[in-house]
Amino acid sequence: MASEFQRAKVQAMFEAFDVDGNGYLEEGDFEALAARWELLPRVASGPELAARVRTVIMGWWQHLSAVHDTGLIDRIGMDELMTMVDRLPAMRQAVTATADVIFDAVDENADGSISRSEHRRLIDTWHGRSIPTGDVFERLDQDGDGLLSRPEFALLWTQFWISDDPAEPGNLMCGPVTGVPTD
């Protein structure tokens, strides 16, 4: 069962995904999320990457739809999302595959690494708006080289979605988390 810490970090993502603010995730929310990602320069200019982004985002809608048990058709509440989070440790390959697609979408200059500004764009794209990030990037960049490599990114992404340890830096991958200092 997901911890209160996991619930707090996923709650911020739930709110970001819930475009109309009705307290539920619906297919239209995932369509809107995919549309936000399709505005990123590399995605907008690459039909193959745009298709990969849309496929992975809408694929997660399908995963979520499979776990809902509310009796509400095509609506996912926070509890159903947390049920999905509980299943993610057994779905590491899907989580890592998602990280790979997101990495490609955010790596604007295709140099094989994510810079501070590219990471900032990831956070803003997930949330659908600009949010203050404090020193989030410095906490993610464990080797201090100013970049996140693909393996670093995949590890951090996996930590965000699976970790129950507030000390793991990946918990900040999608922005600040209540209860985890960012500066």
Side-chain angles (χ1 to χ4, degrees), residues 23-26 61 65 68-77 80:
Y24 294 99
L25 301 181
E26 299 161 306
W61 166 250
S65 295
H68 91 67
D69 61 359
T70 63
L72 300 173
I73 297 176
D74 298 327
R75 298 174 89 180
I76 306 299
E80 288 79 32

Side-chain angles (χ1 to χ4, degrees), residues 118-181:
E118 289 168 333
H119 179 259
R120 174 62 189 219
R121 189 171 298 235
L122 174 147
I123 292 173
D124 292 350
T125 300
W126 273 123
H127 290 275
R129 61 186 170 83
S130 180
I131 63 168
T133 60
D135 70 348
V136 163
F137 189 81
E138 287 77 14
R139 301 213 23 224
L140 296 173
D141 181 18
Q142 296 289 290
D143 63 8
D145 68 355
L147 300 168
L148 302 177
S149 68
R150 189 176 294 271
E152 287 173 308
F153 187 90
L155 173 64
L156 294 164
W157 186 265
T158 301
Q159 286 175 352
F160 178 83
W161 288 105
I162 296 176
S163 176
D164 188 24
D165 179 356
E168 288 189 324
N171 290 308
L172 300 172
M173 187 62 152
C174 297
V177 177
T178 302
V180 178

Side-chain angles (χ1 to χ4, degrees), residues 81-94:
L81 180 57
M82 294 312 297
T83 297
M84 185 76 217
V85 168
D86 285 341
R87 295 178 182 183
L88 292 178
M91 300 174 67
R92 283 184 185 270
Q93 187 173 22

